[in-house]
Amino acid sequence: MEWYIGYTIVYFMMMFAIGGYYFFKVKTSDAYLIAGWNMGYWKITGTLISTWCGAAAFIGWVGMGFTKGISGYFMFALPGILVSLLLIIFFSRPLRRLKLFTLADLFGKRFGRKAGVVPSVFSAFIYSVPATALQIVGMSTVFNVIFGIDMDTGLMLSFALILGFTILGGLEATIVTDALQSVIVIAGIIILAVCSVTYAGGLENALFNTPTEFLTPIPDGRALEVVTFALTVAPFYLVWQSTWQRIFASKTEEVAIKAGVTGFGLVMLISFLPYCIGVLARQFVPLDTRADLVFSFVTMELLHPAIGGIVIIGLLSALMTGADSYILQGSSNISHDLYCGFVNKQATEAQKMRSARVSVVIMSVLSLGVSFMMTDIISMYQWALRISATTLIFPFLAAMFWKRVTASGCIASMIGAMSITVLWPLFDTGIDAAYPGFFVSIMALWVVSKLTSHSREEEARAFYWSGINQEVSKNSSQVTGDQAANYTIATKS
């Protein structure tokens, strides 16, 4: 117990020391919400690793490996990573050249301010709140298992620690600590994987004693399940605002792309290990153990506290960085999109900073409420991914590639897709709700756009083609911090 307490105290002291430093350093809302457009290669690489490997990596993916085998990797992790790489490689340049803060900025710029409300609400409340709640529950579970703190007290303690750090330094502090924590996260997963192989009697013995269905990427009879899960959840990561924020926070376009490819390339390798740990655990963990407790069993029962403590800190790091990122994602939507976009369009810098920190509190409190009320946050989180994907993917692609799409078509697509995705399960057809959601989205987008005209608020151009054909001004590669306001784009003749 002393090892766990010591590691935990030192970890949180370091986190709050860094947060306190950035509390005094960060002076603008740009720096608070988007890290001043000034983060370097290693910081962006580290924050992508840490943000992706949250509670899901340690608790969810280990449990999925225990119950489903490595097919879970091909159902959830790998498709999401590949879509994220697609976003990084093909969309970083045009998105950065639009000088955006959020996904809603893209919709507002292309279709008018009102069209940006839906993606803003989705990003903040449909996705970020349950995602943050998942991290709060995960941290409270750690406090319960390791220190014997009851769950309600653990939820309040987790909420206080997460809110306290996030409100201090904003995205800049989060990215810096993410880069440091990524080392701890990777070390924790590798240590747990090596120990699991040892306790399973060696890799060869474990493979021999594990049923084939747990070692097959697509087991017999489950091909439809694997493919459906991949196709209905992975598209969301094309509009995942946490990755967008890292693209915008990068110092240059080149940093955004190179760090993104490196980060997600490493994540592709790292994220395979939790599933392997889950499969190996079947050799020494009682098979009736709850999936979400497999990680705790392996860490607490099998590892010396000096080693287990490092793994636990890796888990706490993953939970903290995930929660920080999700809160700041929703905070950007509330502060930048809703407050500055509708309530106070002429907000001063001081008012913007105040609204950013107030919105952090709002997001944290809502997430705490969800963590107390919900008993199946994992299912809620997966539904949030599906609804967000069906509602936002095709309007996003249309804004990037199709000049003819109209604001009416975009709004009809979002409302129609959201409605059918939510209502479809009531019909009990056996068809995943995401499929009719995607179908209604693209059909409404196409039909309504063909029947309507552009409004005066719209910027009727395909942002991908116009962005990719723009060249940044001569000194743009050096644009940082206060220079961001003077960042200019010259269109090629």
Side-chain angles (χ1 to χ4, degrees):
M1 180 65 72
E2 290 78 11
W3 284 100
Y4 295 121
I5 294 174
Y7 279 132
T8 303
I9 290 175
V10 170
Y11 168 72
F12 280 110
M13 285 178 63
M14 291 178 60
M15 289 290 288
F16 277 91
I18 295 172
Y21 169 78
Y22 280 97
F23 177 78
F24 293 102
K25 180 182 178 181
V26 172
K27 302 297 184 183
T28 67
S29 57
D30 273 21
Y32 189 81
L33 294 174
I34 211 68
W37 309 80
N38 196 31
M39 294 290 103
Y41 173 83
W42 287 112
K43 290 178 181 178
I44 296 297
T45 299
T47 189
L48 287 171
I49 294 171
S50 295
T51 302
W52 184 269
C53 297
F58 280 89
I59 299 175
W61 293 350
V62 170
M64 189 177 286
F66 187 76
T67 57
K68 295 182 178 296
I70 64 170
S71 64
Y73 175 75
F74 296 90
M75 290 171 62
F76 187 86
L78 183 60
I81 294 166
L82 292 176
V83 172
S84 297
L85 282 169
L86 180 70
L87 171 64
I88 291 290
I89 294 170
F90 292 101
F91 292 96
S92 288
R93 294 186 189 280
L95 288 176
R96 277 185 58 83
R97 294 177 185 185
L98 289 170
K99 297 302 293 178
L100 308 174
F101 276 74
T102 65
L103 174 65
D105 274 349
L106 175 75
F107 282 72
K109 187 178 181 69
R110 175 63 179 82
F111 301 112
R113 188 178 293 110
K114 292 180 181 179
V117 172
V118 174
S120 186
V121 169
F122 262 84
S123 178
F125 304 112
I126 304 299
Y127 175 76
S128 295
V129 167
T132 305
L134 180 61
Q135 313 305 309
I136 293 175
V137 171
M139 188 174 290
S140 66
T141 302
V142 174
F143 291 146
N144 175 258
V145 173
I146 305 300
F147 304 114
I149 299 174
D150 69 86
M151 284 298 293
D152 287 350
T153 303
L155 289 172
M156 292 301 300
L157 177 59
S158 302
F159 161 77
L161 291 169
I162 290 168
L163 172 60
F165 174 75
T166 307
I167 204 170
L168 285 175
L171 188 63
E172 192 164 353
T174 296
I175 287 178
V176 170
T177 54
D178 280 359
L180 298 174
Q181 291 177 119
S182 64
V183 178
I184 304 174
V185 170
I186 293 171
I189 293 176
I190 291 175
I191 289 171
L192 200 59
V194 171
C195 292
S196 297
V197 171
T198 301
Y199 282 104
L203 186 59
E204 184 177 351
N205 181 70
L207 293 174
F208 180 79
N209 291 317
T210 300
T212 305
E213 64 182 283
F214 287 90
L215 303 174
T216 305
I218 304 180
D220 292 339
R222 288 179 50 207
L224 182 61
E225 177 191 359
V226 174
V227 173
T228 295
F229 201 91
L231 291 179
T232 57
V233 172
F236 164 79
Y237 290 98
L238 198 60
V239 292
W240 190 27
Q241 194 166 289
S242 287
T243 305
W244 284 44
Q245 284 183 318
R246 272 61 185 174
I247 292 173
F248 301 151
S250 302
K251 184 181 297 185
T252 64
E253 295 171 3
E254 288 69 26
V255 167
I257 295 172
K258 291 178 181 178
V261 171
T262 303
F264 281 110
L266 291 172
V267 166
M268 190 181 299
L269 300 174
I270 296 165
S271 60
F272 186 65
L273 292 179
Y275 294 96
C276 294
I277 293 167
V279 173
L280 291 166
R282 295 182 61 84
Q283 303 301 310
F284 49 84
V285 174
L287 297 182
D288 59 352
T289 302
R290 274 174 40 196
D292 60 340
L293 295 179
V294 174
F295 168 84
S296 301
F297 183 97
V298 174
T299 304
M300 294 291 293
E301 299 296 328
L302 303 180
L303 302 183
H304 186 279
I307 303 298
I310 297 175
V311 178
I312 291 299
I313 293 304
L315 172 57
L316 289 175
S317 298
L319 292 165
M320 279 290 288
T321 189
D324 298 341
S325 297
Y326 301 140
I327 289 172
L328 287 168
Q329 174 178 328
S331 173
S332 297
N333 297 125
I334 296 173
S335 175
H336 177 74
D337 299 337
L338 302 181
Y339 175 75
C340 295
F342 290 92
V343 178
N344 188 359
K345 299 178 184 178
Q346 305 300 321
T348 64
E349 190 56 51
Q351 290 173 324
K352 290 178 181 179
M353 280 294 292
R354 192 180 305 116
S355 70
R357 287 197 162 102
V358 169
S359 62
V360 165
V361 176
I362 293 172
M363 286 297 302
S364 301
V365 171
L366 290 174
S367 301
L368 177 65
V370 171
S371 68
F372 271 109
M373 292 186 298
M374 298 302 297
T375 57
D376 190 5
I377 293 180
I378 292 291
S379 295
M380 180 182 180
Y381 177 68
Q382 291 175 355
W383 263 102
L385 297 185
R386 282 183 167 87
I387 295 173
S388 298
T390 59
T391 304
L392 301 176
I393 288 296
F394 284 119
F396 161 68
L397 292 174
M400 298 302 290
F401 293 106
W402 190 29
K403 181 179 179 180
R404 181 65 183 83
V405 64
T406 65
S408 297
C410 171
I411 293 172
S413 173
M414 291 190 292
I415 293 175
M418 177 177 61
S419 301
I420 196 66
T421 305
V422 171
L423 296 175
W424 188 259
L426 299 177
F427 299 106
D428 194 24
T429 62
I431 300 174
D432 192 282
Y435 290 127
F438 280 127
F439 177 77
V440 169
S441 175
I442 194 169
M443 290 304 297
L445 189 73
W446 184 75
V447 172
V448 176
S449 292
K450 286 292 186 180
L451 296 176
T452 57
S453 301
H454 295 295
S455 68
R456 285 183 293 181
E457 283 191 309
E458 291 185 57
E459 192 171 327
R461 61 187 174 99
F463 282 159
Y464 184 87
W465 304 121
S466 60
I468 210 70
N469 289 325
Q470 287 170 337
E471 62 179 13
V472 188
S473 59
K474 184 177 180 181
N475 296 321
S476 66
S477 62
Q478 304 301 320
V479 171
T480 60
D482 295 336
Q483 295 172 304
N486 299 318
Y487 188 96
T488 58
I489 296 175
T491 306
K492 286 183 178 179
S493 57

